[in-house]
Amino acid sequence: MAAHCLPPSETKRLFLLVNAQWTDRHVRMTVRNIRHALMGGAAIFCMAGIAVPVTAQTAPQAEPAQPSSTPPANTPGQGNIVEVTLPTFSDLTTLDPEAPLDPMPDVPVTWPDMAQPMAALPPSLSDEALAAAANRGNIPGLPPIELAQPGTGNGAAPGTPPPVDMAQTDAEKDRDALFSDAATERRYGVKVEGPEPAVNDAFKARFAGLSELDAKDGDEANIAQINRRARNDHETLMQMLRTDGYYGGKVDVAIERPQGSNKIAVTYTVTPGERFAYDEVKVRGLETTGQDEPRFREAFGVNVGDPVDADELKLAQNSLLTDMQENGYPFGKVGEESVVVDHAKQAGQLDQPVEPGGKRNFGNIVSSGTKPFGADHMQTIARFDQGEVYKASMVEDLRRALIATGLASSVQIKPVESASPDQVDIEVAMTPAPPRTISGQLGYGTGEGFRAEIGWEHRNMFPPEGAVLVRVVGGTREQLGSLRFRRNNFGQRDRVFSVEALASHLDRDAYDARTVSLSASLERQSNLIFQKEWTWSLGAELIATDERSYVEAIGGDLRRTYFIGAIPMSLYYDSTDDWLDPTSGFRLGGRVSPELSFKGGTFPYVRAQIDGSYYYPVGENIVLAGRARYGTIVGSGDNELAPSRRYYAGGGGSVRGYGYQSIGARDIDGKPLGGKGLAELSIEARIRLRGIMGGNLGIVPFFDAGNVYTNAYPDLSGFQMGAGIGLRYYSMFGPIRIDLATPINRRQGDPWVAVYVSLGQAF
C-alpha cells in the first residue's frame, strides 16, 4: 500500500487547544492521548475511500510542576497545544482512488480481513449472577464471592474462576440463598439496637423519620435496593451520632434472612463510644451589651463540660436571639458557630460570634403600600407605646391583631432604623383583604322548627374598622331583620362599640311577639385569634313589643303592648383552651339587666343570671363537660312582666328531650307560662373517634335536667330530666352537632323524641 502525502508547504495548520486540568500530569496525559489518536494517519481522515495522512506536532512541554490550588492557564509552550497539518482540499482531487494504502506507521495492529467470519464471543454472565456478585460484594460484613462462568465446570477454560461451593453450613446456605436471586423482591423489617442514653426512644424515633428503609418498612424490595438504602441509613446514623456529640461512634449493619423466614431483617447496631464535651466556650460580642450580658449568657446556656450536641447548640442560639430581641435588641444577630473537635482529648472548642446591634426603644409605627387604615389606628391596636423597650413579642402581637381585623390578607412587620439613635421604628406593610362577607346558618330544633339565617357584612365601610352588618332570619316560627353598625378597636384595643336596629316576629308556644328595638353597647370580646380570659359588656336598650300570652286573671289569651327600657351588663371569665370546642378549663360569668316596664305605670325589676361550665379531659379522646345555670327576676309581678322577658327552659341549648321553652308551669291549654326563676344542669361525655373519617367524628352521650319556677328564688326541685346521644362532625370551622334526646320523666304533651341540629357544642 502506498500513501500520497502532501508536502508541508501545501498544508494548512489546525490548532487544537486542550483544556488544562488541575495538575500537569492530567495535561500531559490529555495531550499524549490526542497525539496518539492523530498518529492513526489515514485511518482517521478518509474521504470517498481516499486515505489522507495526517502529521501532528506537539509544542515542547515544560517541566512538570507541583499541583496547584488553581488551574494552570492555557498558554503556548506549556504542553497543552497540539498542532495538526491537514492537506488542502484542492489537492485531494489529484489522488488516485485505486491506489493501495501504505502500512500504518507506528501502529502494531494489522487490518482485519473483512472476508473472514468473526470469532464467536465467550458466553457472558447472566444479569442475575452479575447483580448477585455485585451486591454481595457490597454488603458490609460479608466476604466477596466469585461466580463461575455459565457453561464452565469440569471442562472450563484455563483461568476461569472455579464454581462456588455452596454446600458448607446451613447458615451459609441460607445466606448464599439470600443473595443468589438478587432480583427477587422480599418484605423486610428494620431495627436499631444500642445502649442508652445515646440510643433511646427519641433517637430511634428521629431515625425512623429520616431512614430510607424505615420509610418503606414492610414493602417489598430486592437486595440491591435494600443494600443501597442501608448504606444511606448507615451515613444517617453516623451523622446523628456526631450531632449528639458521639464523634467516636460506629454503626454496624447486618442484612440477613432468619432461618425459615422469607422476610429480610436489617439490623443496625450502634456503638456510640464516649460523648465529647466542650472544654472551651467563647461567646464573642456580648460584652458590648453592658449590664444585659449576664442575662444573655444565661439565655445561651452552653458552658464548659456540656456535651458537644449540635441540636442543643441550635436551641441555645435561638434562645439567645429570642432573649436579645425580647429585651431591646431588634437588630441582634447570632453568627455561625465554629466547633473544633479534638479526638485525642475527646473534647470540643466552641467559638460563637454575636452581633447585638445596640439597645433600642419603640419609636413610631410607619406604614407602606395600600392599607385599609393608617398608622394612627395601628398605634391604637398595638399593645406598646413609644419609648418602651423593644419587644419582638409585641411586634408579633400587633401582626396577629391586624390579621384579626379581617381587613388584611397578609401583614409584614419589621423593625427599621429611626431618626433617633436610641429608637426603632416599626414598618407595617399590609395586603388588603376583601372587606365584604356573606354568611349563613341553618338549623332545626323541636319546638323551634327550621331556621335559616343569612348575613352580609362590610367590615370597613366607615374607616377605620367601621362595619355595617345586615342580618335576615327566616324560619317556620321566627322572622327577623336587623341593621347594625359596629366599630372594632374603638378608642382601645379589643373594645367594640355597636348600634343596632331590629324588627322581629317570634311565634312560640308561650307567646307570640312582634318587636322593634334600638340598642347600643360597648364591650370587650373574644375572637378566633385572641381568646381573652376576661370579657365584659355594657349596653342600653329601648324595646316596643306587642305580645300575645295567657293571662290568668281572665283565664285566656290577651294581646298587650309593652315599652321597656333596659341597661344590660355582663362579666365573664374564661380559662378554657379553645373558644369553640374547649377540652379543658372552665367558664364563669353573670349578666345583670335593670329594666323598666312602662305598662299602665312604671314597674322596675332586675333580671340576673349566672352561668358556669367545666371541661375535664380523660385521656386523649374523651372530654367530660358539665354546665350549670341559675336565673332570677326580682321586683315585678307576673302580669307586669312581658312574656318575652321571662325565663324559659327546654330545647337544644337547655334541657334536651323537651320542646323549646316547654318546661315549667302551663296554662289550661298546655302552653308554657314561663317564670321568674330558673335552674339547669347538664353533663356530657365528648368521645372523639380517632379511627373514623380521619378522626373528625365523635359521639356524645348526655344528661340534662332543669326547671322554671314562678317565684324569683328557685328551690331546685321538680327537675325535668332528659337523656340522649349526639353525633359530632369536627369541621374546620367548628363542630357540627346532631343531638337525639328523649325525656326521662315525660309529661303529657311532651315529645317522645326530640332532635336538634346546629353548629357548635351545646355549651
Side-chain angles (χ1 to χ4, degrees):
M1 296 186 293
H4 300 273
C5 301
L6 299 179
S9 61
E10 303 277 349
T11 63
K12 289 188 176 182
R13 297 161 60 88
L14 173 66
F15 288 90
L16 300 181
L17 181 62
V18 182
N19 287 331
Q21 303 297 321
W22 287 93
T23 66
D24 288 345
R25 179 175 176 270
H26 290 173
V27 173
R28 293 198 303 276
M29 290 178 65
T30 304
V31 173
R32 184 168 60 253
N33 291 341
I34 292 177
R35 184 173 68 251
H36 287 175
L38 293 176
M39 288 180 63
I44 296 179
F45 296 93
C46 296
M47 299 182 182
I50 303 174
V52 182
V54 179
T55 62
Q57 296 179 357
T58 305
Q61 300 182 11
E63 288 299 320
Q66 295 299 321
S68 174
S69 60
T70 57
N74 294 326
T75 56
Q78 296 302 316
N80 56 350
I81 297 296
V82 178
E83 182 179 324
V84 182
T85 58
L86 295 175
T88 61
F89 184 79
S90 61
D91 294 315
L92 293 178
T93 56
T94 62
L95 300 178
D96 183 3
E98 301 298 330
L101 297 176
D102 286 338
M104 296 174 59
D106 299 330
V107 180
V109 179
T110 58
W111 288 96
D113 188 353
M114 304 305 294
Q116 297 295 327
M118 293 184 64
L121 295 175
S124 62
L125 287 170
S126 66
D127 292 341
E128 292 79 5
L130 286 172
N135 284 292
R136 177 169 181 172
N138 286 334
I139 300 294
L142 293 180
I145 182 172
E146 295 178 334
L147 299 180
Q149 294 280 2
T152 62
N154 294 333
T160 301
V164 178
D165 182 10
M166 304 298 287
Q168 299 175 11
T169 65
D170 290 341
E172 290 173 336
K173 283 182 180 181
D174 190 65
R175 183 194 65 185
D176 293 337
L178 174 63
F179 302 108
S180 64
D181 52 350
T184 301
E185 292 189 344
R186 291 187 175 90
R187 300 178 72 85
Y188 66 86
V190 183
K191 182 171 61 174
V192 178
E193 298 177 344
E196 293 190 357
V199 187
N200 51 25
D201 291 341
F203 183 92
K204 295 177 182 179
R206 184 178 182 184
F207 171 72
L210 300 172
S211 166
E212 290 188 19
L213 278 174
D214 201 280
K216 299 181 179 180
D217 188 6
D219 293 350
E220 293 186 349
N222 59 41
I223 297 301
Q225 294 170 323
I226 295 174
N227 186 36
R228 176 181 57 80
R229 297 172 191 170
R231 286 185 175 276
N232 292 338
D233 282 357
H234 177 273
E235 179 55 34
T236 297
L237 284 167
M238 290 298 296
Q239 182 60 42
M240 289 175 61
L241 286 175
R242 291 190 290 268
T243 297
D244 291 344
Y246 297 97
Y247 285 87
K250 67 174 184 175
V251 178
D252 294 320
V253 186
I255 302 177
E256 57 187 353
R257 188 173 69 189
Q259 188 74 25
S261 173
N262 195 43
K263 184 177 181 180
I264 296 176
V266 181
T267 303
Y268 299 98
T269 302
V270 179
T271 305
E274 292 295 328
R275 195 176 194 184
F276 287 27
Y278 293 113
D279 63 359
E280 182 180 359
V281 175
K282 294 180 181 178
V283 185
R284 294 182 289 107
L286 288 184
E287 62 276 4
T288 63
T289 62
Q291 62 182 6
D292 292 325
E293 181 180 1
R295 167 201 291 274
F296 295 151
R297 288 193 177 275
E298 182 179 355
F300 185 61
V302 177
N303 300 297
V304 172
D306 292 342
V308 183
D309 189 318
D311 289 340
E312 291 297 327
L313 178 57
K314 184 60 64 177
L315 291 175
Q317 292 170 339
N318 292 336
S319 176
L320 174 58
L321 181 61
T322 299
D323 206 60
M324 286 195 300
Q325 294 181 347
E326 194 65 14
N327 290 278
Y329 294 83
F331 305 114
K333 295 180 181 179
V334 177
E336 184 176 355
E337 75 282 356
S338 173
V339 178
V340 178
V341 176
D342 188 335
H343 286 266
K345 298 169 59 179
Q346 295 185 343
Q349 294 85 42
L350 171 62
D351 184 4
Q352 178 65 68
V354 179
E355 299 177 17
K359 193 170 186 177
R360 310 293 177 91
N361 297 326
F362 279 114
N364 297 316
I365 294 179
V366 295
S367 59
S368 61
T370 305
K371 49 190 179 298
F373 42 76
D376 54 345
H377 189 63
M378 297 181 194
Q379 187 64 66
T380 299
I381 296 174
R383 296 189 187 277
F384 56 83
D385 295 321
Q386 187 174 3
E388 293 182 2
V389 175
Y390 175 88
K391 291 181 179 293
S393 61
M394 292 293 99
V395 176
E396 174 60 19
D397 175 80
L398 175 60
R399 188 191 68 82
R400 296 179 64 204
L402 294 176
I403 290 291
T405 64
L407 297 175
S409 59
S410 67
V411 178
Q412 295 180 342
I413 303 181
K414 63 179 180 180
V416 296
E417 292 288 355
S418 174
S420 176
D422 62 342
Q423 291 187 346
V424 57
D425 290 341
I426 305 301
E427 184 179 79
V428 180
M430 303 174 62
T431 302
R436 301 171 184 85
T437 300
I438 297 177
S439 60
Q441 293 183 19
L442 184 66
Y444 172 80
T446 301
E448 299 172 87
F450 287 98
R451 182 182 185 276
E453 178 178 333
I454 186 170
W456 177 89
E457 177 184 8
H458 191 304
R459 292 183 297 278
N460 203 37
M461 182 172 286
F462 302 98
E465 295 193 80
V468 173
L469 301 88
V470 178
R471 187 166 64 102
V472 177
V473 175
T476 56
R477 308 193 68 174
E478 178 183 2
Q479 300 83 43
L480 179 148
S482 72
L483 177 65
R484 185 183 183 192
F485 170 80
R486 183 190 67 214
R487 175 83 71 185
N488 289 338
N489 298 304
F490 178 69
Q492 184 177 319
R493 167 80 170 268
D494 300 328
R495 194 163 61 186
V496 179
F497 172 75
S498 62
V499 177
E500 182 177 31
L502 177 148
S504 68
H505 173 228
L506 295 177
D507 180 14
R508 305 301 189 202
D509 291 340
Y511 59 88
D512 182 275
R514 297 179 177 92
T515 304
V516 294
S517 68
L518 180 65
S519 62
S521 66
L522 186 65
E523 55 189 323
R524 186 176 190 266
Q525 300 175 333
S526 284
N527 55 51
L528 293 176
I529 297 180
F530 293 102
Q531 179 180 345
K532 302 170 181 62
E533 288 187 344
W534 290 98
T535 57
W536 53 264
S537 68
L538 175 65
E541 291 181 295
L542 292 176
I543 304 167
T545 177
D546 183 69
E547 302 184 2
R548 182 235 359 119
S549 65
Y550 179 82
V551 179
E552 187 176 0
I554 64 174
D557 290 347
L558 180 66
R559 182 170 288 277
R560 293 181 291 184
T561 301
Y562 299 86
F563 297 95
I564 304 169
I567 304 176
M569 298 172 284
S570 68
L571 179 64
Y572 283 88
Y573 177 79
D574 186 352
S575 69
T576 61
D577 59 343
D578 190 272
W579 193 38
L580 292 178
D581 185 23
T583 60
S584 65
F586 71 93
R587 293 169 176 167
L588 181 64
R591 292 185 292 175
V592 177
S593 179
E595 300 182 5
L596 287 175
S597 177
F598 304 94
K599 174 61 179 174
T602 302
F603 302 97
Y605 58 92
V606 176
R607 303 173 76 241
Q609 180 176 308
I610 298 175
D611 291 273
S613 57
Y614 183 73
Y615 309 90
Y616 181 76
V618 181
E620 295 183 358
N621 302 320
I622 301 176
V623 176
L624 298 180
R627 176 186 67 90
R629 174 176 293 167
Y630 184 92
T632 182
I633 301 175
V634 180
S636 176
D638 294 341
N639 291 330
E640 300 164 353
L641 190 63
S644 61
R645 310 300 286 180
R646 301 171 189 170
Y647 284 121
Y648 297 89
S654 177
V655 182
R656 287 163 285 187
Y658 296 85
Y660 181 67
Q661 298 184 339
S662 65
I663 292 177
R666 301 183 180 186
D667 62 19
I668 58 176
D669 296 324
K671 297 178 181 179
L673 294 173
K676 300 197 312 183
L678 170 68
E680 292 179 355
L681 296 170
S682 296
I683 187 170
E684 61 184 32
R686 300 170 182 175
I687 304 171
R688 196 80 172 253
L689 305 177
R690 297 292 182 181
I692 301 177
M693 297 182 65
N696 292 324
L697 202 65
I699 59 173
V700 181
F702 56 83
F703 171 83
D704 299 332
N707 198 8
V708 174
Y709 305 87
T710 57
N711 58 66
Y713 303 103
D715 57 10
L716 306 181
S717 63
F719 277 2
Q720 296 299 128
M721 295 173 286
I725 191 166
L727 183 68
R728 303 288 184 272
Y729 177 74
Y730 296 91
S731 68
M732 61 180 297
F733 47 84
I736 298 174
R737 173 170 67 109
I738 302 176
D739 286 340
L740 184 67
T742 184
I744 295 177
N745 49 343
R746 179 179 175 274
R747 304 166 303 173
Q748 185 177 1
D750 289 332
W752 289 97
V753 176
V755 179
Y756 312 94
V757 180
S758 67
L759 177 65
Q761 299 283 9
F763 57 89

